[in-house]
């Protein structure tokens, strides 16, 4: 008698290609699949993996966060690589000169970066300039900054700071038992 092999754990749950049918994204995937295979640089493998990601996992990156990271010692002359969108931030006044590579740059952000004497590259230009990711700085936007993230978890559990889905904020709305000492208990 042989041992039965269980196949219920066989499926590998990870993306091996992007969901999108965008031909330009698919061309980038072809390019970085080649680079990831033919070079032994971790950078190309990471870029390839991030090209497959859903939009939620490629959060936007603001100019402010970029500027903050560029101020750190040794980062000033590096090329910033962001597999996602770079957006403008009206809260900062002076944008430093920087070289950026991103999938998308919003109109206003592009204008400000170029005005500061910066440079914006596409990923195919980056592949020619830094095929192994030398002298680059990879940055991602904050994934947990989504408004939906506030509601994840169990609202009302003691110690949890989860925002409940309430119609409005007031005395009549989920503010009695569990929220006030005089009505049973306060968490």
């Amino acid at each position: 008698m042989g041992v039965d092999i269980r196949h219920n754990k066989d499926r590998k749950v990870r993306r091996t290609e992007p969901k999108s049918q965008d031909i330009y994204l698919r061309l980038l995937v072809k390019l970085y699949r080649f680079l990831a295979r033919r070079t032994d640089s971790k950078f190309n493998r990471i870029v390839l993996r991030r090209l497959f990601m859903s939009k939620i996992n490629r959060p936007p990156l603001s100019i402010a966060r970029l500027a903050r990271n560029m101020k750190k010692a040794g980062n000033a002359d590096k090329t910033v690589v962001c597999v996602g969108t770079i957006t403008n931030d009206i809260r900062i006044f002076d944008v430093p000169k920087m070289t950026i590579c991103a999938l998308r740059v919003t109109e206003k952000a592009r204008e400000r970066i170029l005005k500061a004497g910066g440079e914006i590259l596409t990923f195919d230009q980056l592949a020619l300039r830094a095929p192994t990711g030398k002298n680059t700085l990879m940055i991602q936007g904050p994934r947990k900054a989504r408004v939906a993230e506030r509601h994840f978890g169990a609202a009302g559990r003691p110690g949890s700071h989860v925002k409940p889905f309430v119609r409005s904020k007031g005395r009549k709305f989920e503010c009695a038992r569990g929220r006030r000492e005089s009505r049973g208990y306060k968490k």
Side-chain angles (χ1 to χ4, degrees), residues 145-183:
R146 284 170 63 218
V147 176
E149 289 276 351
R150 298 172 196 173
H151 297 284
F152 292 168
R157 219 176 117 257
S160 85
H161 297 285
V162 177
K163 190 174 185 172
F165 288 106
V166 185
R167 186 159 35 115
S168 97
K169 209 170 179 182
R171 176 187 57 80
K172 298 190 283 189
F173 305 98
E174 298 188 15
C175 242
R177 186 172 174 275
R179 297 281 185 176
R180 269 189 287 177
E181 210 64 84
S182 61
R183 304 285 185 274

Side-chain angles (χ1 to χ4, degrees), residues 55-67:
K55 205 169 176 187
I56 282 174
N57 291 322
R58 289 185 286 106
L61 182 67
S62 74
I63 282 188
R65 193 175 282 263
L66 274 180

Side-chain angles (χ1 to χ4, degrees), residues 61-71 86-92 95-96 98 112:
L61 182 67
S62 74
I63 282 188
R65 193 175 282 263
L66 274 180
R68 200 162 67 226
N69 278 289
M70 294 307 273
K71 277 185 192 143
I86 288 174
T87 55
N88 184 29
D89 196 335
I90 55 171
R91 294 170 297 185
I92 62 159
V95 179
M98 49 192 170
R112 290 185 73 181

